[in-house]
Amino acid sequence: MLYTIIMAAQDGSEAVVMEAEVSVKDPDIFCENDGKGDEAESEQASEQASHTDGENSSAQVPDVSNGEDSDEGKEMVELKIIWNKNKYDLKIPLDGTGAKLKERIHTLTGLPPAMQKVMYKGLLPEDKTLREIKVTNGAKIMVVGSTINDVLAVNTPKEVIQQEVKAEENKKEPLCRQKQHRKVLDKGKPDDVMPSVKGTKERLPTVPLAGMYNKSGGKVRLTFKLEQDQIWIGTKERTEKIPMGSIKNVVTEQIEGYDDYHMMAFQLGPTEASQYWIYWVPAQFVDAIKDTVLGKWQYF
C-alpha cells in the first residue's frame, strides 16, 4: 500500500514531502500468529517452571530429615559391644546419650532397648552422655537381655515337655487305671500289709508302715524319723533317708475296689518324673503322712 504525505506551506500551496509504501499484513494472520506466540510463550514458561521446580526439588532433598542426626563433624568413640557371646564393633558420637547407645545396639542385635541392661563400670545411665560417664575409645560394653523370641521360647528340655504332656493326658483317667500303676496293682493286695480302718484318721504309727509295694513291685516300708525330719524308705536292697523338706509334693488316690487303701507318691524333684510311688497305704494314715511331710503340723 502506497502512502503520500502532503504538507501545506505558509502561502497556502501544497507540497509532496514523502511517499512511502507500507506492507500491511492480514489481520487474521496477526490474530493467528498472536495465538501461536502465546502458546509458545506459555509452553516455554511451563518448561522453565518445570525445570525450576525440578532443580528446587533436587536441591531440597538433602535438607529432608529422616529422624537421625548426622554424625559428621562430631567427635566419635569406637566401642566393642558384647552380647550373647557375640561381639559387635560400633562407632558412636562421644556426646551421645546412653539412650542413643541403646538404639544403636538395637540396630546391631535386634534387642529392644526396653529389654537391654547395658553395663560399663556398672549400669549405664540413659540420660548421661558417654563423655560424662568417661567412656574411652575401645571400651567394652556388656549387654544383658533377651529378645522377644527368646522370651517366648521356653528353655525346657524336650524330655520334660514330653513328660508333662503325658502327665496331662494321664489326668483324663484315674491313676489306678494307668498302665504304669496297673501292672503293680494287678498283683493284688499284699498278704502282710498293715490292716486298714476305713473312715478314720489316725496319727502316724510308732512302728514302720510295712508290707506295701513300690513301682517295681518290690516290698517297701516307711519309717518316719520326726526328730531328724526325715522319711526312711526301705527296700530289701537299701534304705533311702529323705529330708522331708526336699519333698515337693505328696499325691494320693484311692485304689478302685479297695477304698480303705491308697496309692501314694512323694515328689522328690521339680517334675512329676521324680515321683516315688508306694501302693497299698492304709487309708487311716494318709492325711497324717501328707500333713507331716508338707509341714502343716508335726506329730510328736
Side-chain angles (χ1 to χ4, degrees), residues 8-298:
Q10 293 180 352
D11 56 359
S13 61
E14 295 180 350
V16 176
V17 177
M18 181 177 62
E19 291 184 354
E21 185 175 354
V22 179
S23 177
V24 180
K25 295 182 178 179
D26 190 340
D28 293 337
I29 297 177
F30 268 118
C31 294
E32 182 180 351
N33 288 342
D34 286 346
K36 291 182 179 179
D38 291 342
E39 290 179 3
E41 290 177 0
S42 176
E43 291 178 1
Q44 183 176 3
S46 177
E47 290 177 359
Q48 291 177 347
S50 175
H51 180 68
T52 303
D53 290 343
E55 289 180 346
N56 291 340
S57 176
S58 300
Q60 291 175 358
V61 168
D63 296 332
V64 177
S65 173
N66 61 2
E68 296 183 1
D69 297 330
S70 173
D71 294 339
E72 185 177 353
K74 296 181 180 179
E75 185 178 356
M76 307 296 286
V77 62
E78 295 183 359
L79 306 176
K80 183 76 70 175
I81 308 298
I82 302 174
W83 171 72
N84 201 21
K85 298 182 180 180
N86 296 318
K87 296 181 180 180
Y88 305 86
D89 294 322
L90 176 63
K91 198 171 184 180
I92 189 171
L94 189 58
D95 290 317
T97 62
K100 194 69 177 177
L101 175 59
K102 283 190 171 185
E103 293 178 6
R104 298 291 290 273
I105 292 174
H106 180 208
T107 302
L108 285 174
T109 65
L111 185 64
M115 303 181 73
Q116 296 177 21
K117 182 180 288 186
V118 182
M119 310 294 291
Y120 177 75
K121 297 180 180 179
L123 190 62
L124 187 140
E126 293 189 4
D127 55 343
K128 291 188 177 181
T129 66
L130 304 184
R131 188 188 300 276
E132 290 174 330
I133 58 179
K134 296 180 172 54
V135 174
T136 57
N137 204 44
K140 293 182 179 180
I141 306 295
M142 304 296 296
V143 181
V144 180
S146 300
T147 63
I148 296 176
N149 290 336
D150 291 336
V151 172
L152 295 177
V154 180
N155 295 322
T156 305
K158 183 183 296 185
E159 294 80 9
V160 174
I161 295 176
Q162 292 174 346
Q163 290 167 0
E164 291 177 348
V165 170
K166 289 181 180 178
E168 192 66 28
E169 292 175 350
N170 290 337
K171 290 178 182 178
K172 297 177 182 178
E173 59 180 347
L175 292 171
C176 60
R177 295 182 186 176
Q178 295 173 17
K179 184 177 180 180
Q180 60 173 326
H181 304 301
R182 194 71 259 169
K183 65 181 182 180
V184 179
L185 295 174
D186 284 346
K187 295 179 65 175
K189 185 175 70 172
D191 295 333
D192 57 345
V193 70
M194 289 187 67
S196 65
V197 182
K198 186 177 180 180
T200 64
K201 296 181 181 180
E202 297 185 10
R203 302 177 69 172
L204 291 177
T206 56
V207 296
L209 284 174
M212 301 171 291
Y213 289 142
N214 60 18
K215 64 180 180 180
S216 300
K219 287 295 184 68
V220 65
R221 64 185 178 275
L222 292 179
T223 306
F224 296 88
K225 295 290 184 178
L226 301 181
E227 68 280 0
Q228 300 176 34
D229 197 31
Q230 293 180 346
I231 296 180
W232 291 7
I233 302 178
T235 61
K236 184 178 179 180
E237 294 80 17
R238 61 182 179 274
T239 298
E240 299 286 348
K241 299 179 180 181
I242 303 172
M244 292 189 191
S246 67
I247 300 175
K248 309 301 181 183
N249 194 19
V250 179
V251 179
T252 65
E253 182 180 282
Q254 291 180 338
I255 299 175
E256 282 187 333
Y258 299 89
D259 293 345
D260 47 349
Y261 286 95
H262 283 231
M263 49 190 290
M264 176 179 290
F266 298 111
Q267 185 167 320
L268 306 179
T271 68
E272 294 181 358
S274 65
Q275 291 175 338
Y276 187 99
W277 283 96
I278 299 174
Y279 305 87
W280 304 103
V281 178
Q284 68 268 26
F285 299 124
V286 169
D287 286 343
I289 294 172
K290 291 175 65 176
D291 293 341
T292 300
V293 171
L294 299 177
K296 291 185 179 181
W297 63 75
Q298 298 290 332

